[in-house]
Amino acid sequence: GAEADAWELMESIRPLVGQIRGLVDHRLGPLGEKLGPASGHTLRCLSCGHFAALVTPGNGGVRPVGCLLCGKAYGDIAEVVDAYGVGSRYEAIREGGEPPAYECAECSSGQACVVPAQTADEPDGQVLLCLLGAHPLGGICDSCQRAADLDLADMCSDCLDIRHAKF
Ligand SMILES: [Zn+2]
Ligand SMILES: [Zn+2]
Ligand SMILES: [Zn+2]
């Protein structure tokens, strides 16, 4: 029957799967150590699928993201945002939806450089990651809609300052 066939197929490819997994582990082994603290800002590579696309902090226009395994690299932040951002900027502007990227309140760059992404640290979750400073952010400020290290309030420190200044 079909079930027996499927089982037979599974049995025949099982050793193969093991071999492939061994190869991948072998390749990722030393890489895992290399990542170390960088795993918090290492993205899944959209070319090879591995968590090996490293965000380089404070790069003055030099490749913001590069994959350590396959060498896939992006020219600038905007290119990374286009690749990793949710939806397209065009649609966000036209349809008024979620922007594909947020400004970073900590870097105050005035550039949309924060994307929600999976990192090597959180392969199943989603982290707001600043591509400019290679750091995670706590959330989106209620007031200015920038990504910020939210502490107690739902506002970034800039907006809190402004609010306190009013009273
Ligand atoms: Zn890659
Ligand atoms: Zn930042
Ligand atoms: Zn704010």
Side-chain angles (χ1 to χ4, degrees):
E3 252 171 66
D5 285 352
W7 189 81
E8 230 169 77
L9 185 69
M10 273 298 294
E11 283 306 291
S12 64
I13 61 169
R14 198 188 294 274
L16 209 66
V17 172
Q19 269 177 29
I20 295 169
R21 199 168 288 157
L23 274 174
V24 171
D25 285 349
H26 182 73
R27 233 183 147 182
L28 280 180
L31 185 66
E33 284 165 32
K34 211 194 253 178
L35 284 177
S39 58
H41 52 91
T42 299
L43 303 169
R44 186 196 288 280
C45 174
L46 297 179
S47 287
C48 71
H50 291 294
F51 280 100
L54 198 64
V55 179
T56 325
N59 57 321
V62 199
R63 291 174 180 163
V65 174
C67 177
L68 299 171
L69 278 181
C70 72
K72 168 78 180 164
Y74 298 88
D76 54 25
I77 302 273
E79 225 179 282
V80 185
V81 167
D82 275 347
Y84 285 91
V86 185
S88 77
R89 202 173 326 173
Y90 174 72
E91 265 173 44
I93 292 165
R94 194 185 49 175
E95 323 252 342
E98 289 277 300
Y102 301 89
E103 277 180 41
C104 177
E106 312 302 322
C107 296
S108 301
S109 60
Q111 188 181 8
C113 59
V114 178
V115 288
Q118 295 171 321
T119 63
D121 260 2
E122 303 262 348
D124 300 316
Q126 210 169 48
V127 188
L128 285 167
L129 187 72
C130 173
L131 299 167
L132 210 63
H135 59 89
L137 292 138
I140 306 296
C141 171
D142 257 0
S143 180
C144 68
Q145 304 299 311
R146 293 184 302 173
D149 260 337
L150 302 180
D151 226 348
L152 297 168
D154 295 333
M155 281 192 233
C156 70
S157 48
D158 286 354
C159 292
L160 280 176
D161 283 350
I162 293 168
R163 197 173 66 160
H164 285 309
K166 276 185 193 161
F167 292 104

